[in-house]
Amino acid sequence: MSVTHRKQLLSGNEAIARGAYEAGVLFASAYPGTPSTEILENLISYDGIYCEWSPNEKVALEVGVGACYAGARTLVAMKHVGVNVAADPLFTLSYTGIRGGMVLVTADDPELHSSQNEQDNRNYAKFAKVPMLDPADSQEAKDYVALALDISEQFDTPVLLRSTTRVSHSQSSVSLSEPDRTTHAGKVSIVKDPPKLVMLPANARKRHVVVEERMKRLREFADTFRENVMEINDTDIGIITAGISYQYAKEIFPNASYLKLGMVYPLPEKLIREFSGKVKRLLVIEELDPFIEEQVRAMGLETSGKENVPILGELNPDIVASSLSGYVFKESVPMEKPELPPRPPNMCPGCPHRGIFYALSKSKVFVAGDIGCYTLAFLPPLQAIDTCLCMGASIGHAVGIDKVMGKEGQGKVAAVIGDSTFFHSGITPLIDAAYNKSSATICILDNRTTAMTGAQQNPGTGKTLMGEDTHRVDIPALAKSIGINRVRKVDPYDIQKTREIVTEELDVDEISVIISESPCVLLKGARRKEWEVLSVDHDKCTGCKACIMLGCPAIGWDPEGINGKGKKGRSVIDEMLCIGCTMCQQLCKFDAIVKVP
């Protein structure tokens, strides 16, 4: 590829998409998950690349593997916990190797900005015995895609490209290159090679030998890899670092010597020993686990690391400076941080999920929760989520609780799961619930989108990522096809009817599915024509707080306002936020919530 000398301000995710385009990627797949979602959302803007949202990360990797087995350069993207879902095919893909280059982007989330844990996916590279690149800015994010594909094809291996939230979502200047869209397209074909691709034990044992030999060659390659770079300055301290941590370290220790690693697995042992010999003290600066530090210590080298640098959360220049104050060459300048008004997390005004959670809250059942916007229903005042573990776990939780509780648990256990999460990994536990005769009540919250990550298409929307019309999965028919007799639909905006159906289904002694069906209010056309903005008639408001119990951010409480009883305390509605969904109006027994005149 030749550099065009044209520069563009890109986020890390935009740069990865650009890098895939320039490097001749023909196939890309993903399941949306912050902070990785924008990679495919940007990749579809380039011609000549097939892109798809898959139902989950395992499927995304499996279809990607199919494309690379056919010789296509392929990119698969997911957030860090998505790699857990895709780990089964990933570990054996390390054995089979590839035909077309394969890069798996893992977008880690230190600080848990939008995740249920902050696992360090560098460990997956060591575990699966595949190389990993770790870019420090958008330029590297773009360039490393091509490098990863080259390494993949040179060593017959998938390559992990690890981004973190700050790289994924921060923008920096990127030099663009002319795309190579023809060299690799001509290599697509079907080639039968069972000894390499059929992992029966007899073949897999032989491929394990190949994996170990490949790792030896990759370790030698790492020592000469051009993105593992020494910067020799002041030799009192030598810092080994990689990814975004390099940027923080450079800001605080501008005069130190550096070994900046573009490849974090396998490590360049000869290069590390050479660097160690040039400096008086070694220091490893890295986010999360002591991944590099432990390997450096295993080499018999003395180094400092996690005894100073936090193992929890994101780093930033201030944290690096404060944790390593004894080393600081240059005092950092504290940033002035303006005080921001508190913005507690909440479901959106008019969110359809609020209706079903209000009904569950009133039923006082144990609610097994799942991953999605609706997890916020665990907050007061609804407090209608009791577990949240991983994608698709809610149904299994409910089944397990139901089984050990027996008759005592009848009518006391429900599960909630969003439509996208249901397609991701909720179908098999629902089959388990039907097959093993659970009596739990399962609520599927169908809002016709993958809302939490910004409204992506899914198998229930009738549209593909490429914008094509497609078959829409019929959830009620699916539930009935696996043997569930009781399948009910509710309009969650009808508070009374929703409560009646929830009560009825909790009372039955068999598995039951309630589908709460209404589109996310942020989708175009979701607001109903009859809805009008509401306000509170303070002469009628008694201060009973029934409307407050919905937890709608459009409804507030004025403790000093005089209500209709002449006492202090009354509800207020923010007309800028209210969309007129009427749920609060339905709860008011005093007709105090009215349309804005």
Side-chain angles (χ1 to χ4, degrees):
M1 288 183 290
S2 59
V3 177
T4 64
H5 302 294
R6 184 160 65 92
K7 291 194 173 184
Q8 196 168 340
L9 196 62
L10 297 176
S11 70
N13 283 344
E14 292 169 331
I16 289 171
R18 174 72 192 189
Y21 172 63
E22 291 181 358
V25 164
L26 298 176
F27 184 100
S29 52
Y31 180 79
T34 306
S36 69
T37 307
E38 299 84 3
I39 296 172
L40 257 65
E41 289 183 326
N42 281 276
L43 202 48
I44 58 172
S45 65
Y46 296 105
D47 293 332
I49 306 175
Y50 170 81
C51 299
E52 73 165 50
W53 294 129
S54 302
N56 64 32
E57 295 85 354
K58 179 174 183 286
V59 176
L61 181 55
E62 288 164 346
V63 296
V65 170
C68 98
Y69 280 172
R73 283 196 152 190
T74 300
L75 180 144
V76 180
M78 56 195 67
K79 68 180 297 175
H80 62 317
V81 290
V83 181
N84 302 339
V85 181
D88 194 1
L90 172 63
F91 277 62
T92 307
L93 178 63
S94 174
Y95 278 38
T96 70
I98 52 87
R99 270 196 67 220
M102 158 69 81
V103 58
L104 171 56
V105 180
T106 166
D108 288 13
D109 188 19
E111 201 68 39
L112 301 96
H113 294 286
S114 186
S115 304
Q116 63 270 42
N117 72 38
E118 55 179 349
Q119 68 189 47
D120 186 334
N121 273 11
R122 292 178 299 174
N123 294 296
Y124 265 115
K126 187 177 180 183
F127 200 4
K129 300 187 177 182
V130 296
M132 172 179 274
L133 306 186
D134 197 351
D137 58 22
S138 295
Q139 182 70 60
E140 291 185 353
K142 180 188 81 76
D143 295 342
Y144 282 14
V145 174
L147 286 172
L149 291 166
D150 289 344
I151 293 169
S152 173
E153 291 167 352
Q154 181 180 348
F155 291 93
D156 189 15
T157 177
V159 175
L160 289 164
L161 177 66
R162 178 193 186 236
S163 179
T164 54
T165 303
R166 291 300 155 189
V167 173
S168 300
H169 288 167
S170 297
Q171 291 185 318
S172 57
S173 179
V174 176
S175 295
L176 307 184
S177 298
E178 291 292 345
D180 179 1
R181 302 297 307 163
T182 57
T183 301
H184 304 282
K187 297 179 181 176
V188 175
S189 62
I190 292 177
V191 176
K192 291 193 175 187
D193 191 357
K196 175 175 162 59
L197 302 183
V198 180
M199 287 302 94
L200 292 172
N203 289 339
R205 291 188 192 102
K206 295 173 183 174
R207 292 300 301 180
H208 190 184
V209 175
V210 173
V211 170
E212 298 304 331
E213 290 175 346
R214 182 180 73 205
M215 286 308 304
K216 290 180 183 176
R217 291 188 291 121
L218 279 164
R219 290 189 183 95
E220 294 170 0
F221 173 80
D223 280 319
T224 58
F225 181 50
R226 72 187 195 209
E227 297 299 320
N228 292 334
V229 181
M230 277 198 288
E231 303 171 11
I232 302 301
N233 300 302
D234 189 316
T235 55
D236 281 350
I237 294 181
I239 297 173
I240 303 175
T241 186
I244 193 65
S245 299
Y246 169 76
Q247 309 288 6
Y248 303 146
K250 283 290 284 187
E251 189 165 330
I252 300 304
F253 300 100
N255 300 319
S257 293
Y258 282 88
L259 175 55
K260 176 184 176 299
L261 301 175
M263 176 182 280
V264 292
Y265 191 78
L267 291 183
E269 292 192 14
K270 289 181 181 177
L271 195 61
I272 289 172
R273 291 185 187 282
E274 180 184 346
F275 181 68
S276 173
K278 293 177 181 293
V279 299
K280 294 178 182 175
R281 286 192 295 177
L282 270 184
L283 173 62
V284 177
I285 298 180
E286 56 189 330
E287 281 182 331
L288 300 180
D289 293 348
F291 182 77
I292 297 172
E293 179 189 340
E294 287 182 351
Q295 293 182 74
V296 171
R297 290 185 188 277
M299 292 166 59
L301 300 175
E302 288 189 12
T303 185
S304 299
K306 289 300 172 187
E307 65 266 39
N308 297 308
V309 181
I311 197 170
L312 306 176
E314 274 191 312
L315 299 181
N316 61 39
D318 289 341
I319 293 173
V320 171
S322 61
S323 61
L324 297 167
S325 56
Y327 295 83
V328 170
F329 283 81
K330 170 190 164 186
E331 290 294 332
S332 63
V333 178
M335 291 177 59
E336 290 189 13
K337 297 177 181 176
E339 286 193 14
L340 299 174
R343 183 174 176 268
N346 200 342
M347 292 187 290
C348 298
C351 174
H353 297 331
R354 192 166 279 109
I356 190 79
F357 281 113
Y358 181 79
L360 290 168
S361 176
K362 287 297 180 184
S363 297
K364 302 186 185 306
V365 293
F366 185 94
V367 181
D370 224 298
I371 306 287
C373 309
Y374 49 88
T375 314
L376 294 172
F378 95 97
L379 292 164
L382 290 170
Q383 295 181 296
I385 289 280
D386 295 299
T387 68
C388 176
L389 183 66
C390 64
M391 294 283 283
S394 60
I395 298 175
H397 290 171
V399 171
I401 294 169
D402 170 59
K403 287 296 178 184
V404 297
M405 291 293 293
K407 290 294 183 184
E408 288 188 18
Q410 175 66 45
K412 297 178 181 176
V413 182
V416 293
I417 185 168
D419 52 340
S420 184
T421 311
F422 177 67
F423 298 130
H424 180 285
S425 47
I427 295 174
T428 43
L430 188 64
I431 292 172
D432 178 72
Y435 172 64
N436 288 304
K437 299 182 177 180
S438 171
S439 61
T441 300
I442 313 299
C443 303
I444 300 174
L445 315 183
D446 184 5
N447 65 356
R448 317 285 177 85
T449 190
T450 309
M452 185 172 64
T453 47
Q456 287 75 36
Q457 306 294 346
N458 68 45
T461 64
K463 288 281 187 181
T464 70
L465 173 59
M466 305 288 281
E468 299 170 325
D469 293 330
T470 187
H471 177 71
R472 179 173 182 259
V473 175
D474 185 332
I475 298 176
L478 189 153
K480 289 178 180 175
S481 74
I482 61 175
I484 297 174
N485 297 318
R486 299 189 67 90
V487 180
R488 310 280 297 273
K489 280 188 178 182
V490 297
D491 174 0
Y493 290 107
D494 187 336
I495 295 283
Q496 182 60 34
K497 191 65 178 176
T498 299
R499 288 193 64 182
E500 289 174 5
I501 290 178
V502 167
T503 301
E504 289 171 11
E505 296 310 309
L506 285 169
D507 283 344
V508 299
D509 186 19
E510 63 178 297
I511 182 74
S512 171
V513 169
I514 299 172
I515 300 167
S516 174
E517 190 176 75
S518 192
C520 170
V521 290
L522 299 182
L523 295 179
K524 185 179 180 181
R527 295 189 184 188
R528 301 179 184 180
K529 292 180 180 177
E530 65 271 22
W531 287 351
E532 295 182 36
V533 176
L534 301 173
S535 65
V536 176
D537 182 340
H538 295 137
D539 291 334
K540 293 183 178 179
C541 178
T542 63
C544 71
K545 295 186 177 180
C547 56
I548 297 288
M549 298 311 293
L550 281 170
C552 177
I555 306 173
W557 180 252
D558 177 6
E560 300 299 323
I562 303 301
N563 62 38
K565 289 186 172 181
K567 298 180 179 179
K568 286 186 176 180
R570 65 189 187 190
S571 296
V572 293
I573 291 179
D574 185 338
E575 295 175 15
M576 295 293 289
L577 294 178
C578 177
I579 66 166
C581 73
T582 76
M583 281 194 275
C584 59
Q585 193 177 38
Q586 294 172 50
L587 294 179
C588 183
K589 297 178 180 177
F590 306 100
D591 297 325
I593 296 179
V594 296
K595 293 178 181 177
V596 172

